[in-house]
Amino acid sequence: MSTSQGESPSPSQGLGQSHSRSQGQSQGHPQRWLILGVILLATLTVLIDNTVLNVAIPSLTEELDASTADIQWMINAYSLVQSGLLLTAGSAADRYGRKKMLATGLVLFGVGSVTAGLAQSATQLIAARAGMGVGGALLMTTTLAVVVQIFDETERVKAIGLWSTVNSLGFAAGPLLGGVMLEHFWWGAIFLINLPVAVLALVAVLKLVPESKNPQGDRPDLLGAVLSTIGMTAVVYAIISGPEHGWTSLQVLGSGAVGIAVLAAFVRWELSIEHPMLDMHFFRNERFIGAVAGAILVAFGMGGSLFLLTQHLQFVLGYEPLEAGLRIAPMALSVVALNLVGVGARIVGKVGTPAAIALGMTMLSAGLAAIALFGGGTDGGYGGMLLGLVVMGAGIAVAMPAMANAIMSAIPPEKAGVGAGVNGTLSEFGLGLGVAVLGAVLNSRFAALVSVAAASLPAALASAESAGERARITDAFASGLETSQLVGAIAVLLGGLLAAALLRRAERADSAVTVAV
């Protein structure tokens, strides 16, 4: 692939320059920090739309005459399509060009946002959200792949740290932005606000971002793309619908079984062809396996904890959605503050990736334990929860950039899009797994403490016949919350130590090979 003036070197060129870069000053793209700002703006918009719709549920129910099932599909269509397409989107970016796919993603996301904002029925809004999910998948994979291309090894950890910061900020900012917009405008404004951002980002991408793609020009793996999309969509659907329909329901078990079977066929197919979309030999790399385990468990702890805390703040302590969002925000704010000053990148530089991951996961585990022990009661106290959220945020700020960098470093630069797709898929899987496992622990503990026929806390409270019974129900929920958070803390701690150990062993093996050579 030729490199025109103002563009970054191709992946093959970058590999050849790795030794000279390590000996001299940074040789990344001259406009890399400006390009990073554009990428982060696009990423933030996509991530906000994962959660922004939650606060608009009452308005949508009233104005679009939406049923409960309609609301579920409005929320889930976006994340379901996005999750299912991440690997395929990353592969397409590697083959056809990351700049092209980034621009295409912005166009699709912008068009979908306008369609969603002007929707006149629940069906139209669901379809628009699915279209936005296609654009979101392209954006999430290409943004991280472009970061890997334009930054060299000396600055890449810091750049990925800022990218991870935006991921955390977007996760928490959705409900806050949605609440503010609904205070002043109608529900469609939460989508239409994406349009000027998408247009601005598109102009900047076309002008600033260099094109890069796999110089080998692998043939497209069409069957692999179909199998991965169907398999991931089915698995994610099972995870999303589990809390609503029950984990043993035919709908959930059937979807999960189909997803696992199709993903098994995907693995078999990828092992049998010359140019696979996802090289399964990556999973023999201990560095890759360690980073994968850590990425899943960080998302597991963060997703499961926030899922439970949101319920606790609203159902037990009686906060409105916007108030609950404000009280959870310190976790995201601590991630943002620490990564903006480069704490995560500096720690990785001083102690190395394995130790940074061990430290970050230990802090995340300690935060979960603090919430369980000091912040899960029914008395309305917030100090223990605040402490836990800040410590969790600090742990995420240290561990997440290190793990994302470890995943991307374990995959050849020409496969950066696929690497970003793997990273995004693992995060989605970890979030869903956290909700599923910690939610199941909570429900089991809750059912063991109170004998109610209702399937949810609001229904149980509504069926209570006295204030004393309602108090027993909320106390049981708080106890279940404590147990589930402690289970999450233990899982994150053990998993983090395992991930660090695998990465340390992989580094020692690499060093031994280097010395031998």
Side-chain angles (χ1 to χ4, degrees), residues 23 41 47 74 148 200 243 261 359 408 428 488:
Q23 296 172 357
L41 181 63
L47 290 165
M74 288 174 191
V148 171
L200 176 63
L359 174 62
M408 300 305 291
E428 292 288 341

Side-chain angles (χ1 to χ4, degrees), residues 72-144:
Q72 290 172 343
W73 277 109
M74 288 174 191
I75 295 173
N76 294 336
Y78 179 75
S79 57
L80 188 63
V81 171
Q82 180 176 298
S83 303
L85 288 175
L86 282 169
L87 280 177
T88 301
S91 177
D94 287 336
R95 174 167 175 77
Y96 299 110
R98 299 174 185 106
K99 178 177 181 176
K100 290 187 184 71
M101 292 298 103
L102 183 53
T104 301
L106 284 166
V107 170
L108 291 174
F109 190 77
V111 171
S113 297
V114 172
T115 306
L118 301 178
Q120 300 297 309
S121 68
T123 302
Q124 291 177 6
L125 182 54
I126 292 169
R129 291 276 290 170
M132 292 171 67
V134 178
L138 287 169
L139 290 173
M140 289 304 296
T141 52
T142 51
T143 51
L144 184 54

Side-chain angles (χ1 to χ4, degrees), residues 261-476:
V262 174
L263 287 178
F266 168 72
V267 172
R268 186 179 181 86
W269 170 254
E270 296 298 286
L271 289 170
S272 67
I273 62 174
E274 184 179 357
H275 298 291
M277 184 175 76
L278 175 61
D279 189 346
M280 291 299 160
H281 295 95
F282 292 150
F283 292 93
R284 297 179 182 175
N285 184 328
E286 287 188 340
R287 184 192 303 273
F288 182 77
I289 292 295
V292 161
I296 291 176
L297 285 162
V298 165
F300 174 94
M302 184 170 65
S305 175
L306 292 182
F307 169 73
L308 298 174
L309 284 178
T310 301
Q311 294 186 69
H312 181 76
L313 287 167
Q314 294 184 69
F315 297 151
V316 177
L317 302 182
Y319 291 114
E320 295 297 323
L322 180 57
E323 295 174 323
L326 286 170
R327 282 162 176 79
I328 292 176
M331 185 186 75
L333 293 177
S334 62
V335 175
V336 172
L338 292 174
N339 272 332
L340 283 179
V341 298
V343 169
R346 284 202 294 269
I347 290 176
V348 172
K350 288 183 178 180
V351 304
T353 299
I357 289 176
L359 174 62
M361 298 289 273
T362 300
M363 294 174 69
L364 177 56
S365 175
L368 285 166
I371 292 173
L373 299 175
F374 309 120
T378 59
D379 59 358
Y382 180 62
M385 188 178 294
L386 175 62
L387 172 64
L389 289 169
V390 171
V391 175
M392 282 180 65
I396 292 168
V398 173
M400 189 175 285
M403 284 182 298
N405 186 63
I407 289 175
M408 300 305 291
S409 298
I411 291 178
E414 63 269 18
K415 295 285 188 179
V418 170
V422 170
N423 185 70
T425 300
L426 294 174
S427 296
E428 292 288 341
F429 180 72
L431 289 171
L433 191 65
V435 171
V437 174
L438 298 189
V441 173
L442 169 62
N443 291 335
S444 298
R445 178 64 174 165
F446 179 65
L449 293 174
V450 293
S451 56
V452 293
S456 66
L457 177 64
L461 292 173
S463 65
E465 297 179 354
S466 65
E469 186 176 355
R470 281 193 292 273
R472 285 193 297 274
I473 290 172
T474 53
D475 285 341

